[in-house]
């Protein structure tokens, strides 16, 4: 009925249910002795103008769609990175070392559990760099799990949002989408979802409580 609050919550994983991207990547660079600027330069070159870079030039897109194997991506990335001592960056296990720095965000995980317990349908929608997930507890948190490399689509592509909505059996206007990347939030909003750009727990929790008209913060 008109005026009813949404009934679905879709959340990103890395940067929403974990510590933020920059903190994790900085910790990885420090641990591996990497000049973090070289990583940022590689990402800037590969992404370029949003949506305009081909898979051939953007291994990240190919990796996230499951079109490029992790070892092949690691080889390409390692060549772009600079170490502080000038030695070659070890490609083997590079992605695992990076993602080992992503610690849980228990406050956001608790919010998603409370949302589901309150009757909302919940989904995870994540762009993947291989299977670098700690999935413990997901059965209690989500009605649907959509990992980009497993469905051969990636955010911010329209198709992956539509796929997730079908998995939840909800329309776009019935769902809220939370992500730490503004580009993904904007793409979701264009499809009719309510988009929230996640920067911290307190702000996101407060906004979700207003949208869903129920207590969700711990």
């Amino acid at each position: 009925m008109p005026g009813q609050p949404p009934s679905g919550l879709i959340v990103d994983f890395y940067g929403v249910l974990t510590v933020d991207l920059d903190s994790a990547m900085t910790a990885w660079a420090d641990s591996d002795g990497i000049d973090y600027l070289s990583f940022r330069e590689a990402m800037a070159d590969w992404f370029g103008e949003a949506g305009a870079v081909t898979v051939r030039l953007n291994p990240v897109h190919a990796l996230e769609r499951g079109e490029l194997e992790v070892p092949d991506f690691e080889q390409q990335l390692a060549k772009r990175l600079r170490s502080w001592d000038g030695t070659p960056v070890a490609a083997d296990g590079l992605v695992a070392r990076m993602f080992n720095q992503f610690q849980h965000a228990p406050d956001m995980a608790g919010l998603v559990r409370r949302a589901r317990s309150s009757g909302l349908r919940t989904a995870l929608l994540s762009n993947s760099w291989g299977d670098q997930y700690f999935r413990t507890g997901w059965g209690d948190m989500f009605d649907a799990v959509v990992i980009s490399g497993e469905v051969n689509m990636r955010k911010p592509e329209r198709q992956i949002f539509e796929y997730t909505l079908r998995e939840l059996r909800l329309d776009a206007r019935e769902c809220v989408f939370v992500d730490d990347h503004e580009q993904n939030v904007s793409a979701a909003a264009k499809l009719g979802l309510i988009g929230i750009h996640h920067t911290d727990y307190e702000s996101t929790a407060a906004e979700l409580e207003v949208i869903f008209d129920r207590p969700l913060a711990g």
Side-chain angles (χ1 to χ4, degrees), residues 35-46:
D35 178 358
Y36 186 45
L37 179 60
S38 66
F39 174 77
R40 293 176 65 91
E41 290 171 347
M43 294 300 103
D45 287 347
W46 283 344

Side-chain angles (χ1 to χ4, degrees), residues 64-199:
E64 290 178 343
R65 290 195 193 100
E67 298 165 347
L68 182 68
E69 296 295 329
V70 170
D72 296 326
F73 175 79
E74 289 175 329
Q75 290 290 336
Q76 294 190 47
L77 180 58
K79 292 176 182 177
R80 296 294 307 267
L81 299 177
R82 298 185 298 270
S83 63
W84 286 117
D85 62 8
T87 59
V89 175
D92 187 33
L94 177 58
V95 169
R97 296 197 302 276
M98 295 169 69
F99 281 82
N100 281 343
Q101 300 297 333
F102 281 93
Q103 302 300 315
H104 286 279
D107 48 6
M108 279 301 299
L111 185 151
V112 175
R113 288 191 180 92
R114 289 189 292 275
R116 190 173 187 230
S117 295
S118 76
L120 299 176
R121 293 187 62 77
T122 58
L124 178 72
L125 174 54
S126 176
N127 282 354
S128 59
W129 286 27
D131 188 7
Q132 307 296 329
Y133 296 93
F134 26 91
R135 302 182 184 232
T136 303
W138 282 12
D140 297 326
M141 293 175 66
F142 304 116
D143 294 291
V145 172
V146 180
I147 305 296
S148 67
E150 297 175 1
V151 297
N152 305 121
M153 299 174 276
R154 64 181 292 278
K155 296 176 292 186
E157 294 169 349
R158 179 188 186 97
Q159 295 93 328
I160 199 167
F161 290 107
E162 293 173 337
Y163 180 93
T164 306
L165 292 170
R166 289 195 298 271
E167 289 291 295
L168 280 180
R169 301 189 300 279
L170 294 173
D171 294 331
R173 60 183 174 79
E174 298 178 284
C175 291
V176 179
F177 173 65
V178 181
D179 198 291
D180 61 321
H181 288 285
E182 290 184 276
Q183 179 183 354
N184 296 334
V185 174
S186 296
K190 288 178 182 177
L191 295 177
L193 293 88
I194 299 172
I196 294 179
H197 178 218
H198 176 77
T199 57

